[in-house]
Every structure is written in C-alpha cells, then in structure tokens.
Amino acid sequence: MPASPPSVPPRPLEGLRVIIGVCAGIAAYKAAHVVRGLTERGADVRVVPTKASLEFVGISTWEALSHNPVRTSVFEDVDSVAHVRLGQEADAVVVVPATADFMARARMGRADDLLTATLLVTRAPVILAPAMHTEMWEHPATRENVDVLRSRGVRVIEPASGRLTGTDTGVGRLPEPEVIVHYVESVLAAGSRTCDLEGTRVVITAGGTREALDPVRVLTNHSSGKQGAALARAAYVRGASVSLVLAGSHIEPPAGVDVVRVESAKELAAEVRERESSADVLIMAAAVSDFTPEPSRSKIKKKAGESGLTLHLVETEDILRGLVERRQAGERPFVICGFAAETGDEHSSALAHATRKARAKGADLLAFNDVSENAFGADTNALTFLDAAGEIRGATRGTKDEVSHAMLDHVASLLKRERG
C-alpha cells in the first residue's frame, strides 16, 4: 500500500501582495519574523523600510527574507513610478514597528519617503503595529494621532505590555510576530466586512478545561484554543469589543482582546456569568468537561495487587443551556452560539448527534464539526451551522480565520434581526 503523501500546510495568503513598512525602532528586528510568517503563508511581501530603520536592520536582510528588491526613496526605481505602484497593487500595508514619529507623519498626510507616499496612494487595508516607550504611547499627541488614524479606517493594533528597551517595562511593547501575522491574515480574510460589529460586546470562550484529579494530574481534552482565538481576532477586526475566556491553553492571545485565563469548568462558568449581562454576543467555543472528579488532596499512588483505578465523576454545569434559560427570563446576551465537536458511532452519525444537541441546548447557532479523525490543533476547520430547531443554516470550510468570519456573518445577521 503506497504511503500517504505528507500534508501540505495551508497557504491562505497565496497570490496576495503585502507591503511591510519598517520604522526606526528597536523592535524592527521582530519585523523579520513577520515577513517570514507572511511569506510562509504564500504572500508576496515587499519590504519598504524608512532610511533610519536601516540602522537597525539592513537591506540585505529584507531582500533575503522577502525574495524581492527593497527601496526606501521615491527617487529609486523612478521609471516604474514605484511610490505609486506599490500602494496601488497592495492587498494590505502593514507597518511594523510603527513609531510615534511615523504615526504623526501619517496623520498629517506627509509623503516625504517611499513608505508614507505608499500609505497615501493605497486603498488597501492599512495596519499599524506601534512600539515605543510607555510615556510616548500615552502622550496626548500620540493618542490624538491614533484616534485620527483610526477614524480614517487605519487599523492600529494595541501594543502589548512587557519589557521595553533597557530595564523599563509597561505598555508599548510590540505584539509578538505571530500575533501580528494572524491579525493580518484575519483582516484579509474579512474582506469588505470591516465594521459590521462596531459597538458590539462579544464574549468568547476557548480552549479546553482541566479538571484536577490530584495535585499532579488533570483530566482534559485535545482542544488547542485556536478556533476560539481566531473567532476573537475576527470579531475584533470587525469592530467588536471582545473578551476571551481562555481555558487551559497556552496559545498567544489575539492583539486588542481582553483575556482572562481559567482552568476548570467551574471557573469558566463563573467568568461567563460575570460577563453575560453586559454582552451582546456570547460564543461558547471552549471544550468544557462534561464530568469532573472530586480531587484527592494528595497524589494518588499505585497500590500493589490492584490492576486499575476507579474514579467517581460528577456532571459539570451545562453552561450553554444555562445561558439560554437565563436569556429566556429576559436577560442578555442577545445572541448565543455554541459548538458541537462530535463523532459518529454505531447508533448515529456525527451530524445526527449534533442535531439533537442543537435542539437540546436551544442556542441561536450551533457550529458543528466532525472530529472523528481528531482535527484538534489543525489550522483549518469545517463547520456546519445549525439553528435551535436543528435545521442546517449553512456550512463553511477553510482556515480557522476564514471559518470564523463565516460564523460571524451569521452572528451579524442574528444581531441585526434582534435589534430590528
């Protein structure tokens, strides 16, 4: 029997052209990882560094990573009118890092180098990833510049908090390159769905809960949290204010999202209860344990002559069903969504199990995925959407960013209907 061909990772940005602007900040070296991440996803990356940024990372590095020539001045490659062509042909323009000086120049509409000229020409999404000292980020001039740029449709990613240059710590750290790459991917996957969730408060749960068996061991599941994180990122990209309740996962959370980490089903339920009354949308993407043990106070030991261990498990709270019941009593959120990871068995197909679950839970939307072949941790997904009656309302397949936007299309439609 011939061996199966190795799986090829998805290249969701195949054929798309992304301009990476690099400004003169110590975080410029991290832009190299962003370039690599985008090229690995199939993007045709053109790097446009400012002249001063070359003091941090040189042209040869950018050309080696992007496989394209690098220019910094409007007087280079004049015959092809590069300062116009780059912006016109771009599918996205991303500036990493965006310094306070650059954002001030961008706000004023300056065009005194190739990067600022490209920004004026392009009609593609513009994404800025700021990095600077906390005092600079919090200065009224910078805050005003950010507000003006955002009002024009520029996407300014919130900087992270952490170690800065020298011994300083605080807000102003560049988000991790992987976070920026995923953000760009989600923006491109969103297409024209730009601000349809503006002003909407969304709570999303993700990951897999961990139930303590003793001080050493836990009962858990295979959920990586990737799909829930992709949903949080997509909702933020579309203008929502997003809270992500992340269970038992160590993935890097999306930029701009409020994150709270939990472990057990009980902790997750408590966090959901705390946030549900102010949420417009709640999406239960976490894989919540159906059962939990009474944990031993000390490590459980093997005993001579015993061939096994019997555990007594009790059911955990049905968080999704509880949300629906409280909403029926007149409480928020307006839209409630759940997930059903199912497998078929000798009695029913995976879809039949999901259909029964949809009817039992009563959520507005249930995203069903067949995990018979254990798709946990993959970068792609296939979802079928069921309503509270178990009727199929659509299906989607693609990267987790792509299927997230497809799911949020249904959420946006439900919200519109709810709000009249």
Side-chain angles (χ1 to χ4, degrees):
M1 183 175 180
S4 301
S7 59
V8 178
R11 288 169 62 88
L13 304 184
E14 193 76 57
L16 298 179
R17 178 167 292 188
V18 179
I19 306 298
I20 296 292
V22 185
C23 296
I26 191 65
Y29 75 94
K30 289 187 177 181
H33 298 284
V34 175
V35 172
R36 171 163 287 173
L38 292 172
T39 56
E40 287 175 347
R41 285 165 171 76
D44 177 11
V45 177
R46 306 297 174 106
V47 181
V48 182
T50 64
K51 186 175 181 180
S53 76
L54 298 178
E55 297 291 333
F56 295 90
V57 183
I59 285 179
S60 58
T61 297
W62 300 128
E63 291 186 336
L65 289 173
S66 69
H67 312 294
N68 281 310
V70 171
R71 306 285 184 267
T72 63
S73 169
V74 295
F75 298 108
E76 296 177 85
D77 201 14
V78 174
D79 60 322
S80 66
V81 199
H83 69 287
V84 173
R85 180 173 53 80
L86 282 171
Q88 288 177 334
E89 295 178 353
D91 293 294
V93 178
V94 187
V95 182
V96 185
T99 60
D101 173 72
F102 174 81
M103 291 193 293
R105 291 193 292 130
R107 181 260 175 94
M108 295 302 296
R110 297 279 293 275
D112 44 9
D113 61 11
L114 186 55
L115 180 54
T116 50
T118 299
L119 235 59
L120 285 181
V121 171
T122 192
R123 296 298 178 264
V126 175
I127 302 166
L128 308 184
M132 63 197 73
H133 271 75
T134 304
E135 294 84 355
M136 298 175 73
W137 174 249
E138 294 177 346
H139 194 282
T142 304
R143 303 311 308 154
E144 182 179 322
N145 291 337
V146 170
D147 290 342
V148 170
L149 289 167
R150 283 176 168 161
S151 72
R152 295 174 184 165
V154 175
R155 301 172 186 274
V156 183
I157 303 176
E158 288 293 315
S161 181
R163 181 73 177 268
L164 305 173
T165 306
T167 59
D168 293 344
T169 59
V171 178
R173 180 184 173 89
L174 187 75
E176 290 303 311
E178 181 184 7
V179 171
I180 298 172
V181 170
H182 282 306
Y183 185 91
V184 174
E185 186 177 343
S186 188
V187 168
L188 290 169
S192 60
R193 316 168 180 99
T194 50
C195 297
D196 59 348
L197 295 181
E198 190 79 47
T200 301
R201 288 162 293 187
V202 179
V203 175
I204 298 171
T205 68
T209 59
R210 293 155 55 94
E211 308 301 314
L213 183 57
D214 61 23
V216 177
R217 305 176 182 91
V218 296
L219 299 179
T220 188
N221 55 68
H222 293 297
S223 179
S224 65
K226 286 183 176 181
Q227 184 64 76
L231 278 163
R233 182 167 50 247
Y236 177 70
V237 161
R238 292 166 73 153
S241 173
V242 183
S243 294
L244 178 64
V245 183
L246 193 56
S249 174
H250 299 290
I251 62 170
E252 193 70 31
V257 170
D258 176 47
V259 179
V260 57
R261 294 184 181 272
V262 298
E263 287 289 313
S264 67
K266 184 177 181 180
E267 291 175 359
L268 188 142
E271 292 294 343
V272 168
R273 278 183 179 271
E274 184 175 328
R275 288 163 175 76
E276 67 184 75
S277 62
S278 60
D280 300 306
V281 178
L282 206 151
I283 303 176
M284 290 289 299
V288 183
S289 299
D290 293 319
F291 300 93
T292 186
E294 181 65 36
S296 170
R297 293 185 179 181
S298 58
K299 181 182 176 182
I300 300 171
K301 302 290 195 300
K302 290 181 179 180
K303 294 182 180 179
E306 292 188 1
S307 59
L309 174 68
T310 300
L311 296 177
H312 176 67
L313 304 177
V314 296
E315 286 190 15
T316 58
E317 177 184 343
D318 189 334
I319 304 172
L320 182 59
R321 182 60 194 164
L323 278 166
V324 174
E325 291 172 349
R326 290 191 292 277
R327 199 260 305 271
Q328 289 171 345
E331 300 179 25
R332 291 167 93 108
F334 296 139
V335 176
I336 299 173
C337 305
F339 270 73
E342 294 288 351
T343 64
D345 55 29
E346 66 273 18
H347 303 294
S348 296
S349 67
L351 177 59
H353 284 305
T355 300
R356 283 191 287 272
K357 180 175 286 187
R359 293 168 181 163
K361 302 291 186 181
D364 301 296
L365 195 71
L366 190 77
F368 152 66
N369 57 330
D370 188 334
V371 295
S372 299
E373 297 182 2
N374 194 0
F376 293 106
D379 293 321
T380 58
N381 206 351
L383 300 178
T384 300
F385 302 114
L386 308 173
D387 63 16
E391 297 295 325
I392 295 177
R393 294 301 177 187
T396 185
R397 179 184 296 272
T399 68
K400 288 188 173 176
D401 284 293
E402 290 169 338
V403 301
S404 292
H405 284 293
M407 184 171 184
L408 291 177
D409 288 344
H410 288 277
V411 169
S413 178
L414 288 166
L415 268 176
K416 185 177 180 181
R417 186 181 68 189
E418 183 67 33
R419 291 167 171 171

